[in-house]
Amino acid sequence: MFAVDEAAELADNPWLYDNVWLIPALPAVSFLLILFFGKRLPYKGAEIGIVAVLGSFALALLTTFTWIGDIQGLEEEEQEEARSLVTADGEVQDVVLTAEAGEEHGPPRGAPVVNEVEWFGIGTGANQVTLGSDGSDEAAAAEGTAAAGEETSDGEEGHGEAAGHSDRFSISIGTLVDGQSVMLLFVVTFISLLVHVYSTDYVNGDRRYTHYFAFLSLFTASMLFMVLASSTLQLIVGWELVGVCSFALIGHWWEEKPNSDAALKAFLTNRVGDIGLLIGVTILYFAAGRTFSILEINEMAVSGAIPRSTLTIAALCLMAAVMSKSGQFILHTWLPDAMAGPTPVSALIHAATMVVAGVYLIGRLYPVFYEGFSIAGSSINAMAFIGGLTTVGGGLLAFVQRDIKKVLAYSTVSQLGYMVMALGVGAYTAGMFHLFTHAFFKACLFLGAGSVSHACHHSFDMKADMGGLRKFMPKTFWTFMIGSAALAGIPPLAGFWSKDEILVGTGAFPGTGGNGTYTLPLIFGMITAAMTAAYMTRTIYLTFFGDYRGHEHPHESGPRITTPLIILAFMAVVVGFLNMPSGFVDFMRLPSGWAHLFEDWVEPAGIASFVGAENGFTHAKPSLALAVIATGLAVVAGFVVWRYYERLYAKDPKATEYADGIASRNGLAAAGHRVLEEKYYLDFLYTDVIVAGVKGPVARAAYWVNQHVLDRVVDLAGLISVAVGRFVYRFIDQGVVDATVNASGRTAEQSGQFLRKSQTGQVREYATLMFGAAVLLAAVLIFAV
C-alpha cells in the first residue's frame, strides 16, 4: 500500500496544486469587497462576485485538466511498462506501481497532493511554541510516518505515545488535492458562476441586492474551503461556515416570519448533527495518535491501526452529521422549508453546496466508514439502510406537494439518499458519480422553477398559478424536460448512467458482483427509480400542460436566466458519458480509453490508495438486464401518470386532479395521503411535541420545581442560617465572648486600683515590699530546686 508521506515526497507538484488555495480565496476576498464597496459600484457589487467566481472557475478548470493530464500520462507510462514486461512465453505480466516504482516513474496514479503549513505548534520537549512555521519539517514528517503505522523500536505500530505524538502538539492548515476534491472544485465553481449570472436578473431590484451577492460569494468560498481541507479541523470550519451562510441566505427576506423560521430551523437542525461531527472527529483524533490529518486517519483506518469498534463508534457519530447536513431521514425536515430563500440560493444549496457536504464527508473519510460499518461482504449496514429509507421516503413526499420547489426539494432528499445508499453498499464511484451528475440536472430544474415563478408573478403553486406554460416559455420547458428525464434516469441522459451504477453496486442482482449482497437497498433503488419518473411527470403536467390557471399573461424569461438553463441542460445530456462501462464502449465502437473515465480520474484518491483488493474492495460488473428493468419501471411509472393527466385534461384542461379520486373513495388511501401531507408527522413530533413540550409542560414543571423545591430549599437554608446566627449572637458572642472580655477588664481595673493604693511615696514601705518579694523568691527557689 502506498504510504501517505511517500506520496507527498514523490509528487512533483505543478504550480496549480501548490496554489490551489486561490480558488476559495477569490470569492472570500470578493465577500469583503462587496460589503465595503458594493453599494458604490454601478451593479451594486454583483460584478465583483461574478468576476471572482469566474476566476475561481478558471483556476478550477485548469486544475481539473492538470489532474486529468497527470493521470492519463501515468496510465500511458503503466501501459508502456506493461508492454515492455513480456515473459519468455509471450505473456504480459501485471504491473502495479509501488513506492519504489514511483521513484522512477512518479507517484502512483491519483496519489493525493498535500500542501500544509504549521499554523500552531507546541514542542514540549524543547519548551517552545511556533506559529506560522513551515509544516514540512523533519519532526512533522516523522510524526506523519509514525501515525501511518511505521514500526517503532519495541515492535509495536506507531501511534499514541509510542509514536512520539505526546512530545508535540501542532495544528496545520493546508490543501488536499485529489480526484474527489478536483471534481467538487469544478462542480461548485461552475454551478456558482451560473447562479451568480442568473441572480443578476432574478433578484434585480431586491432591497438587499448587495448583501445577497456578498453572502453568495462567502457561501461559495466556504464550500470550496471545505472541499480542499487537508485536516478534520479545517473540514469542521468549512462545514460550519457553509451552515452560517445558508442561514443568512435562506432567511434573506427575514421580515416575513416563515422565512426567518425556515432559516432558524435549518440552523438548529444542523446543530443537532454537528454534535456528532465534533464527537466523531475527537474520537478519530485520539484513535489515530493525536492527528487531524485526513490522509493519516484514512491510512490508519484501513491498515488496522485503529480498532474496528472505535471506527464503528466514530462512523456512527459522523453519520449523525451526514443525516442533518445532507437531509437524511429523520433529520431531513429542514431542507424543504429552506425553499423560503431565493430560488438561485435553493439551486446552489441543493446542487453544489450545503446538502452535498455530508456526502462529501463520507467520501473524504470513506475508509473510516468502509471499515467501521464492515461494508465489504455484508448485506446491510446503518449507512445503506438510512440512505435507502431516505430515497424512498423523500420520493413519496414529492407526490403530494403543490409547490414546485417543494417537489424538487423532496426529490433532492431522495437523491441524496441514493448517494448515501451507494456509499453504504461499497459503490464509491457510483455515489460520487451521482453527486456529480445530479448537480447539473438538479440545478437546471431549480433554476427552471425560478424561471417559471418569474413568469407567474413569483408564485410556485403549480395547481393555482401554472399550467400550459410550454406555449409561453419554450426554452424553460425544454430545459426542464431534459433535467426531469435525467433525474428520472432515462437513457442516455446523465442520471441513467449514475443510477444504474448504484443499482449494480448493490451486488444483489445476479452476475453483478460488488462488495456485498445488498438486496434491500436494491429494492429501495428500484422503487425510487419508478417513483422519480412518476412525480416528475406529475410536475411537468401540472406546470406545462393543460390551460394556464394563473393571472395575466406569462412570458419567457430573459437571456440571463435562460442561458444558464441551456448550459445546464446540455451538461445533463453529456456528463453521463464520462463513466461509460467497457461493454457499452465496445458496442458503440468507441475508443477503449473512453470507458470509466470518471472512475480513473476520481476514484484512486478515495479508494485505491486506501481500500485495495486485499481489503475486499471490488467493482461491480454492469448488467444490461438490470438497466433494462430499472429503465422499464421508470418508463411505465411515467406513462401511467401521463395517461392519468392526459385523460383528466381531456375532460377539463384546467383541472389538477379528479374530484372522485381514490383518496375520496378508500379509507386506507385517504389515511396514507394524509400521512404524506403531514410529512410523516415528523414536524408535528418536533414542533408540537418536543419543542412545545419543552416550552409548555416541561417548562411549567421546571418552574414548579424551581418555586416549590429549589426556592423552598433556599428559603429553609436562609431560615436556619438566621436561627443559627441569633443563637451564636445571644449565647456565644454575648454570653461567652463578651462576658469574658468584660470580666478581664474588671479584673484589670480592680488590680490597678489595688496597685495604685500601694504607691504611697514612703521609702520604708517600698523597702518592706522588696524584702518580702526577695524572701518569697528565695523560698520558691529553695523548694523548687
Side-chain angles (χ1 to χ4, degrees):
M1 184 174 293
F2 189 76
V4 173
D5 56 333
E6 291 173 330
E9 292 175 5
L10 293 175
D12 185 14
N13 301 343
W15 182 89
L16 284 166
Y17 292 171
D18 290 335
N19 296 278
V20 73
W21 58 270
L22 290 170
I23 298 177
L26 288 176
V29 171
S30 74
F31 164 72
L32 298 175
L33 293 177
I34 293 172
L35 280 184
F36 285 105
F37 307 107
K39 291 184 178 181
R40 305 175 190 175
L41 299 175
Y43 297 98
K44 304 301 180 183
E47 61 269 54
I48 299 178
I50 293 175
V51 170
V53 76
L54 178 61
S56 294
F57 172 66
L59 290 174
L61 193 62
L62 290 173
T63 304
T64 302
F65 286 148
T66 302
W67 178 261
I68 293 172
D70 289 347
I71 290 179
Q72 298 288 31
L74 286 168
E75 285 182 340
E76 292 175 2
E77 289 183 10
E78 290 178 12
Q79 293 171 3
E80 183 65 28
E81 183 75 12
R83 282 194 293 270
S84 65
L85 294 179
V86 181
T87 60
D89 56 1
E91 294 183 356
V92 179
Q93 296 178 340
D94 292 331
V95 177
V96 177
L97 275 179
T98 61
E100 290 76 13
E103 295 175 1
E104 181 179 355
H105 300 290
R109 183 166 58 94
V113 179
V114 180
N115 289 290
E116 286 188 332
V117 172
E118 186 178 284
W119 177 76
F120 177 83
I122 300 177
T124 56
N127 285 326
Q128 63 181 9
V129 178
T130 59
L131 293 174
S133 63
D134 187 353
S136 59
D137 57 340
E138 294 181 2
E143 286 184 9
T145 303
E150 191 172 272
E151 293 292 326
T152 57
S153 59
D154 59 359
E156 296 179 356
E157 288 191 352
H159 61 89
E161 295 184 0
H165 285 284
S166 61
D167 295 330
R168 183 171 178 79
F169 171 79
S170 65
I171 298 176
S172 298
I173 58 174
T175 58
L176 170 58
V177 178
D178 65 352
Q180 182 176 324
S181 60
V182 167
M183 180 266 291
L184 258 295
L185 288 177
F186 172 78
V187 169
V188 173
T189 55
F190 181 79
I191 301 296
S192 181
L193 176 61
L194 295 179
V195 167
H196 272 75
V197 174
Y198 181 99
S199 297
T200 58
D201 189 335
Y202 190 85
V203 297
N204 186 34
D206 187 86
R207 55 183 173 266
R208 279 186 291 275
Y209 186 85
T210 301
H211 172 275
Y212 170 85
F213 274 94
F215 271 93
L216 207 59
S217 293
L218 184 60
F219 198 15
T220 304
S222 301
M223 187 66 188
L224 293 171
F225 178 83
M226 196 196 83
V227 165
L228 290 172
S230 64
S231 70
T232 52
L233 272 185
Q234 282 179 257
L235 194 146
I236 291 174
V237 172
W239 184 278
E240 296 301 336
L241 281 173
V242 167
V244 170
C245 293
S246 67
F247 169 77
L249 288 169
I250 292 170
H252 179 69
W253 296 310
W254 52 264
E255 293 88 348
E256 300 172 21
K257 192 174 185 301
N259 299 339
S260 58
D261 287 346
L264 285 171
K265 185 176 183 180
F267 187 80
L268 295 176
T269 304
N270 276 274
R271 299 290 76 74
V272 174
D274 288 355
I275 299 300
L277 176 66
L278 295 176
I279 296 174
V281 166
T282 303
I283 291 172
L284 292 176
Y285 169 76
F286 288 104
R290 302 187 194 180
T291 179
F292 293 110
S293 170
I294 291 173
L295 290 184
E296 291 183 21
I297 291 171
N298 284 340
E299 181 73 15
M300 294 185 69
V302 80
S303 67
I306 303 176
R308 187 180 295 273
S309 58
T310 304
L311 290 176
T312 301
I313 296 172
L316 287 171
C317 292
L318 295 175
M319 197 63 207
V322 174
M323 290 171 65
S324 64
K325 189 73 79 176
S326 288
Q328 300 298 293
F329 194 85
I330 59 175
L331 296 179
H332 67 280
T333 56
W334 70 268
L335 199 150
D337 290 355
M339 298 302 96
T343 300
V345 172
S346 302
L348 192 58
I349 288 176
H350 287 249
T353 60
M354 187 66 174
V355 297
V356 301
V359 180
Y360 181 82
L361 171 65
I362 298 176
R364 179 51 75 212
L365 292 170
Y366 195 59
V368 173
F369 291 95
Y370 189 86
E371 298 294 336
F373 287 144
S374 301
I375 291 175
S378 181
S379 60
I380 198 64
N381 59 65
M383 189 193 303
F385 180 76
I386 291 172
L389 186 64
T390 302
T391 192
V392 174
L396 286 172
L397 291 176
F399 273 107
V400 298
Q401 305 303 315
R402 59 186 298 156
D403 184 316
I404 188 172
K405 284 177 67 176
K406 289 288 184 72
V407 174
L408 298 177
Y410 282 113
S411 170
T412 300
V413 172
S414 180
Q415 298 307 307
L416 290 169
Y418 238 117
M419 300 172 202
V420 171
M421 185 182 75
L423 294 168
V425 302
Y428 171 88
T429 301
M432 290 293 107
F433 189 44
H434 195 56
L435 185 154
F436 178 72
T437 60
H438 175 265
F440 300 105
F441 54 72
K442 186 51 64 71
C444 179
L445 291 172
F446 266 107
L447 296 184
S451 177
V452 169
S453 168
H454 206 56
C456 297
H457 308 284
H458 301 287
S459 172
F460 293 98
D461 194 327
M462 297 183 293
K463 291 188 174 184
D465 300 312
M466 297 182 187
L469 292 178
R470 75 184 191 282
K471 308 170 191 174
F472 308 101
M473 311 178 70
K475 294 179 182 178
T476 301
F477 168 67
W478 284 111
T479 54
F480 199 92
M481 284 287 291
I482 292 172
S484 298
L487 174 62
I490 304 300
L493 303 180
F496 164 76
W497 301 101
S498 54
K499 281 190 177 182
D500 182 64
E501 282 197 38
I502 293 174
L503 296 176
V504 167
T506 61
F509 197 81
T512 56
N515 291 294
T517 307
Y518 290 88
T519 304
L520 184 59
L522 175 61
I523 295 172
F524 283 147
M526 299 290 273
I527 293 173
T528 303
M531 286 195 305
T532 305
Y535 65 69
M536 287 310 299
T537 302
R538 171 183 177 267
T539 302
I540 290 171
Y541 241 105
L542 290 175
T543 305
F544 295 103
F545 287 84
D547 288 349
Y548 182 59
R549 297 178 292 274
H551 305 286
E552 301 181 9
H553 293 286
H555 54 84
E556 181 63 275
S557 301
R560 285 178 291 173
I561 289 180
T562 57
T563 301
L565 292 177
I566 294 171
I567 294 173
L568 289 167
F570 172 77
M571 296 295 285
V573 173
V574 302
V575 294
F577 294 106
L578 290 177
N579 209 43
M580 294 181 292
S582 302
F584 181 81
V585 170
D586 296 339
F587 176 77
M588 297 298 295
R589 299 181 183 277
L590 299 173
S592 59
W594 288 20
H596 302 297
L597 290 175
F598 186 88
E599 177 182 316
D600 292 339
W601 297 341
V602 174
E603 181 182 284
I607 292 296
S609 298
F610 304 117
V611 186
E614 70 274 14
N615 297 307
F617 182 82
T618 185
H619 292 92
K621 299 176 182 178
S623 172
L624 179 61
L626 181 57
V628 170
I629 293 172
T631 304
L633 287 173
V635 171
V636 170
F639 178 76
V640 170
V641 176
W642 185 278
R643 289 292 295 163
Y644 173 90
Y645 282 102
E646 192 175 47
R647 292 183 179 182
L648 175 64
Y649 288 171
K651 295 181 179 180
D652 182 1
K654 288 195 173 184
T656 58
E657 62 185 25
Y658 286 101
D660 58 343
I662 187 173
S664 64
R665 294 181 281 107
N666 184 282
L668 184 61
H673 188 269
R674 186 163 54 253
V675 169
L676 294 179
E677 283 189 326
E678 295 295 334
K679 297 171 284 190
Y680 307 124
Y681 292 95
L682 288 174
D683 279 329
F684 173 79
L685 172 64
Y686 298 153
T687 304
D688 297 337
V689 176
I690 298 177
V691 175
V694 171
K695 292 166 63 177
V698 175
R700 287 193 294 271
Y703 180 76
W704 186 91
V705 170
N706 180 61
Q707 294 294 310
H708 296 84
V709 177
L710 298 180
D711 282 0
R712 288 293 178 85
V713 170
V714 173
D715 292 343
L716 181 61
L719 293 173
I720 294 174
S721 299
V722 171
V724 171
R726 289 175 177 172
F727 174 83
V728 170
Y729 175 77
R730 183 175 179 181
F731 295 102
I732 296 179
D733 182 58
Q734 297 291 315
V736 178
V737 178
D738 283 359
T740 302
V741 173
N742 293 335
S744 63
R746 286 193 297 270
T747 302
E749 181 183 7
Q750 293 173 359
S751 300
Q753 292 294 334
F754 173 76
L755 293 175
R756 186 172 61 83
K757 291 179 179 178
S758 65
Q759 306 243 351
T760 62
Q762 295 183 4
V763 176
R764 67 173 181 270
E765 292 183 3
Y766 293 157
T768 302
L769 289 173
M770 292 178 64
F771 177 77
V775 173
L776 180 63
L777 179 62
V780 171
L781 291 174
I782 291 171
F783 288 106
V785 176

